[in-house]
Amino acid sequence: EVQLVESGGGLLQAGGSLRLSCVVSGVTRDDVAIAWFRQAPGKEREGVACISLARRFNYGRTYYADSVKGRATITSDNAKNTVYLQMNNLKPEDAAVYYCAAFNSPTLLFLRLWASGAFDYWGQGTQVAVSS
């Protein structure tokens, strides 16, 4: 059974930083893509960042939405089965529920289109609020 458990949200200040964690279990080891998405009230879900953990190709390659490029970093710690999202210089528009998502055996096409959100497994989400 695949499980994704996010943590690390809360009330943060604009200009500050956040670090979200996603503990991942049950996925295909060394053949999975993990991503962070977010959804603000009244807005569509948005892809934030994705990391390929597929040793077949592109292992460790990261992908970012234009809205967070240069501010966000997605990393993985395989020993802890955890994927992190670090985001600096927070803006009020970063406030949202952040979700971790997983897709086993991604293709290159899937990775190119990761932001479309066609992931099989989703966490329950963690709320991030940003005060200006």
Side-chain angles (χ1 to χ4, degrees), residues 17-72:
S17 299
L18 68 77
R19 189 186 193 220
L20 304 180
S21 301
C22 175
V23 178
V24 182
S25 61
V27 297
T28 303
R29 181 172 289 276
D30 294 341
D31 197 11
V32 65
I34 306 291
W36 286 96
F37 287 79
R38 66 185 180 186
Q39 188 165 21
K43 294 190 176 181
E44 291 188 356
R45 185 178 60 196
E46 175 191 22
V48 178
C50 176
I51 186 167
S52 168
L53 299 176
R55 292 204 179 275
R56 293 177 291 118
F57 47 74
N58 287 1
Y59 188 91
R61 181 170 178 175
T62 56
Y63 308 79
Y64 297 96
D66 288 342
S67 59
V68 301
K69 207 168 285 184
R71 299 192 295 126

Side-chain angles (χ1 to χ4, degrees), residues 38-112:
R38 66 185 180 186
Q39 188 165 21
K43 294 190 176 181
E44 291 188 356
R45 185 178 60 196
E46 175 191 22
V48 178
C50 176
I51 186 167
S52 168
L53 299 176
R55 292 204 179 275
R56 293 177 291 118
F57 47 74
N58 287 1
Y59 188 91
R61 181 170 178 175
T62 56
Y63 308 79
Y64 297 96
D66 288 342
S67 59
V68 301
K69 207 168 285 184
R71 299 192 295 126
T73 304
I74 185 170
T75 58
S76 69
D77 184 334
N78 291 343
K80 295 183 178 179
N81 294 324
T82 302
V83 174
Y84 302 97
L85 178 69
Q86 173 83 28
M87 192 179 303
N88 302 321
N89 190 23
L90 288 172
K91 304 176 181 181
E93 53 263 41
D94 292 321
V97 178
Y98 283 71
Y99 298 92
C100 181
F103 187 88
N104 284 321
S105 302
T107 62
L108 284 172
L109 180 61
F110 179 90
L111 290 171
R112 282 199 290 267

